[in-house]
Amino acid sequence: MRVSAFRASPFTYATLMIVSALLSVPLVFVVSVALASDQTVNTNTFTIIPREFHWENFARVFDTSLPMGMFLVNSIIISIGSVAGQVLSSGLVGYAFARLRAPGKNALFIIVIATMMIPAQITMIPQFILFKELGWVNTFLPLIVPNFFSNAFNVFLMRQFVSRLPREVDEAAMVDGLGFFGVYRRIMLPMLAPALIAIAIFTLTFAWGDFMGPLIYLNDESKMPLALGVQYISSTSAAMQAPPWNLVMVGSILLTLPMIAVYYLGQKYLYEMDLTGGSAGIK
């Protein structure tokens, strides 16, 4: 069977441009509303293409009665803590499942993977009761600490990634006197960089925009992240008055731009993780 390379035609590029333009309409509309004046918000005369450019809205959003700056700092704290927990735990657990020889290892791995089929809504109430008994409600701990126990998807991702790496590397390091943690820290960790960065990106994306977790566990306004703060802007308008949609969209842009930047900077690691199968670390 002969495999030929795909060559894009002008029709292909035209189709991609049309589809990209259609998919970009919501984002352009968000920018248009964010740059609109208060008069446009009150009259509800928005347009998809921006007609007004009130860049001061990006400063006004921090001058509201809500502590938007604190919301932003809280999001950073929660996101960094979550990323650190997932990266530390996923690498170790995935490496252990891929390399350690222990009775019942495969059965335990199947149980871990099976937890992916349990809806989060089922465990929501038991988790809340547990964290309430620990006294963690209205703190960042319920949003950060569970990440230090990894999750099934990240464990599966790391286990499959480590399984592609040659065992001879581990055996050579052990012959030189390194133990399990020594091999992981000095030999495997540099090769696992693409997978760990991918996990960090996935975790950061989820933690940065998480709405349900903070809504359940956080009560004080000073501890809420940006995702909740954006919702609070739309719900604090006076009676019979339209919410300040321009400021709401500014908050939405603040939620979106960091994720776009993170993906732009880390996309090469995502592709490397998927395409090279771990070989990039031993080139």
Side-chain angles (χ1 to χ4, degrees):
M1 182 177 179
R2 184 178 179 181
V3 179
S4 58
F6 174 78
R7 296 191 178 186
S9 63
F11 175 77
T12 304
Y13 287 110
T15 303
L16 292 175
M17 291 178 64
I18 293 173
V19 173
S20 300
L22 292 175
L23 295 177
S24 300
V25 169
L27 182 59
V28 175
F29 184 67
V30 168
V31 175
S32 178
V33 176
L35 297 176
S37 63
D38 293 339
Q39 181 180 359
T40 302
V41 172
N42 295 330
T43 58
N44 197 22
T45 56
F46 302 115
T47 59
I48 295 178
I49 304 299
R51 294 183 305 176
E52 303 172 300
F53 298 92
H54 292 274
W55 299 102
E56 66 273 11
N57 290 341
F58 286 86
R60 287 179 53 206
V61 73
F62 294 98
D63 293 332
T64 61
S65 59
L66 297 173
M68 295 299 294
M70 184 62 67
F71 292 160
L72 186 60
V73 172
N74 294 339
S75 293
I76 294 174
I77 294 174
I78 295 173
S79 299
I80 292 178
S82 301
V83 169
Q86 287 291 342
V87 169
L88 289 174
S89 59
S90 299
L92 284 171
V93 177
Y95 178 62
F97 273 120
R99 288 295 195 256
L100 288 183
R101 296 182 176 89
K105 181 187 70 173
N106 293 332
L108 182 60
F109 180 71
I110 292 175
I111 294 174
V112 172
I113 297 302
T115 60
M116 296 175 63
M117 296 184 291
I118 302 176
Q121 291 79 4
I122 293 179
T123 59
M124 187 178 299
I125 295 177
Q127 282 183 347
F128 180 82
I129 296 174
L130 173 63
F131 293 139
K132 183 179 179 181
E133 293 297 325
L134 292 174
W136 289 3
V137 175
N138 201 30
T139 67
F140 293 154
L141 295 178
L143 306 175
I144 296 177
V145 172
N147 290 285
F148 283 85
F149 297 90
S150 189
N151 60 49
F153 175 78
N154 291 340
V155 170
F156 173 78
L157 185 67
M158 290 302 305
R159 190 250 190 189
Q160 296 303 108
F161 192 89
V162 175
S163 298
R164 300 172 183 175
L165 301 177
R167 287 183 176 270
E168 291 78 7
V169 178
D170 303 42
E171 295 171 355
M174 291 180 179
V175 169
D176 290 338
L178 290 179
F180 174 79
F181 290 102
V183 173
Y184 175 77
R185 181 176 62 87
R186 302 181 61 179
I187 306 298
M188 300 300 298
L189 195 58
M191 293 190 289
L192 298 180
L196 292 176
I197 293 176
I199 289 175
I201 293 174
F202 297 151
T203 305
L204 181 63
T205 302
F206 174 80
W208 184 261
D210 186 21
F211 180 85
M212 185 61 67
L215 182 65
I216 294 174
Y217 296 112
L218 300 179
N219 300 322
D220 292 346
E221 188 178 275
S222 60
K223 298 180 181 179
M224 293 180 179
L226 188 59
L228 273 181
V230 172
Q231 191 274 339
Y232 265 61
I233 295 177
S234 62
S235 62
T236 53
S237 59
M240 304 301 294
Q241 182 181 355
W245 293 118
N246 49 358
L247 300 184
V248 173
M249 294 306 171
V250 169
S252 300
I253 292 176
L254 293 178
L255 278 171
T256 305
L257 285 180
M259 296 301 98
I260 295 177
V262 167
Y263 178 77
Y264 177 78
L265 296 175
Q267 61 179 332
K268 64 178 182 179
Y269 297 103
L270 296 176
Y271 299 150
E272 184 179 350
M273 177 200 67
D274 186 40
L275 298 177
T276 63
S279 61
I282 56 175
K283 288 180 181 178

